[in-house]
Amino acid sequence: MEQKLLKQVRSLKFIVLILVVFNSFMILSSFNERKGQKGKFDELDVKRLNLIEEDGKTSLIIANKKKLPGAITNGRVLSDAKGQRGPGLLFYNDEGDECGGYLFGNWGTHFSMDQLKQDQAVYMQVINGNKDEPLRTAGFWVTPQSYLLSSDVMDRKMDSINTITDKSERDKARTNLLQGLDKYNKAFMGKNRDDDTGLFLFDKNFNTRMRLYVDTLGNPKLEFIDE
């Protein structure tokens, strides 16, 4: 009886092995036949989608809030931003640095385009408020970056500053670094916190210098402001 059972078990193992080999062959054959062909789906659920170039570099990421990575520059991931920006869509340049993207949430929406090795130069943004102030600001920003604000240069300078053990001296060095950078004028077109809608120009220190707008009463205004 035992010999008969053993013989049957061996037969079943052999049959299972044949089925595994056959199914593996069919799966691989199907994969090879479809390689290079377009896939068509009626619906697709994903938590993250990566667009990869031929050399393996990532050029686009679409992900939910948890899966969206932090900002990447010079191969460094700013971990303090991970999980706080998404869900959204991020673009990457040939250097592997983030160069813009689209983010959204209850706080609002943000679409930006970055300079090479620098921060955002142009962006559109909607900032939501609360029930008393449902919309804080909405508009288009032009914020050109200084050539001295290159991420390569800033990384080296900040790494050096971070080695300073005394906190007050470290904070002072950071302030001096940022204040010593060349700055550029900025512009905003949209609705501001005062509910005025128009064009607002700022100087290098981010002081408002000109306003061309329509106020909440519908009055058109052109104002020039000194320092």
Side-chain angles (χ1 to χ4, degrees):
M1 183 67 177
E2 291 181 0
Q3 292 296 327
K4 185 177 181 180
L5 287 174
L6 288 174
K7 186 176 180 180
Q8 290 177 345
V9 169
R10 293 193 191 100
S11 299
L12 288 173
K13 286 182 177 180
F14 179 76
I15 293 173
V16 170
L17 178 61
I18 294 298
L19 290 174
V20 170
V21 172
F22 177 77
N23 287 334
S24 299
F25 173 77
M26 293 300 295
I27 292 173
L28 291 175
S29 298
S30 176
F31 176 79
N32 288 330
E33 288 178 0
R34 293 186 59 83
K35 188 176 181 180
Q37 297 182 6
K38 295 181 180 179
K40 295 183 179 180
F41 306 93
D42 291 333
E43 188 172 338
L44 185 65
D45 293 334
V46 296
K47 294 181 179 180
R48 173 167 165 167
L49 181 64
N50 303 325
L51 181 62
I52 306 298
E53 296 297 331
E54 296 299 327
D55 59 1
K57 291 182 179 178
T58 300
S59 60
L60 171 68
I61 292 178
I62 303 174
N64 64 17
K65 183 176 182 179
K66 185 176 180 180
K67 293 289 186 178
L68 196 75
I72 297 176
T73 176
N74 295 327
R76 297 184 178 188
V77 178
L78 305 180
S79 59
D80 58 339
K82 187 174 183 180
Q84 301 176 20
R85 305 193 299 163
L89 179 153
L90 298 177
F91 304 104
Y92 297 88
N93 58 28
D94 294 339
E95 305 293 325
D97 296 336
E98 180 183 317
C99 60
Y102 172 69
L103 307 172
F104 57 92
N106 288 344
W107 54 269
T109 58
H110 174 95
F111 174 70
S112 64
M113 291 164 278
D114 302 348
Q115 291 177 237
L116 180 64
K117 291 295 182 182
Q118 294 180 335
D119 202 354
Q120 55 200 17
V122 175
Y123 65 93
M124 293 181 288
Q125 185 167 266
V126 174
I127 300 298
N128 295 322
N130 49 43
K131 62 180 181 180
D132 298 321
E133 187 185 16
L135 178 64
R136 292 184 179 177
T137 61
F140 179 84
W141 283 93
V142 178
T143 56
Q145 303 292 317
S146 166
Y147 73 95
L148 292 177
L149 199 61
S150 164
S151 58
D152 295 330
V153 175
M154 290 298 293
D155 277 351
R156 290 195 295 269
K157 290 183 178 294
M158 290 304 296
D159 284 344
S160 177
I161 291 174
N162 288 334
T163 61
I164 301 175
T165 55
D166 184 86
K167 185 179 184 302
S168 60
E169 291 296 323
R170 187 169 63 248
D171 292 342
K172 182 179 179 181
R174 287 174 178 169
T175 300
N176 291 337
L177 171 62
L178 296 176
Q179 289 180 345
L181 295 173
D182 283 348
K183 299 177 183 178
Y184 291 86
N185 299 329
K186 298 174 174 61
F188 170 72
M189 183 175 66
K191 178 262 182 194
N192 63 16
R193 289 292 301 269
D194 297 323
D195 281 337
D196 299 325
T197 303
L199 173 65
F200 306 85
L201 302 181
F202 308 87
D203 63 17
K204 297 178 181 180
N205 295 316
F206 210 59
N207 298 313
T208 304
R209 300 303 303 275
M210 193 198 86
R211 294 192 289 240
L212 172 62
Y213 66 100
V214 176
D215 64 20
T216 55
L217 299 177
N219 301 311
K221 295 184 177 182
L222 172 61
E223 302 173 348
F224 298 94
I225 304 167
D226 60 24
E227 294 181 357

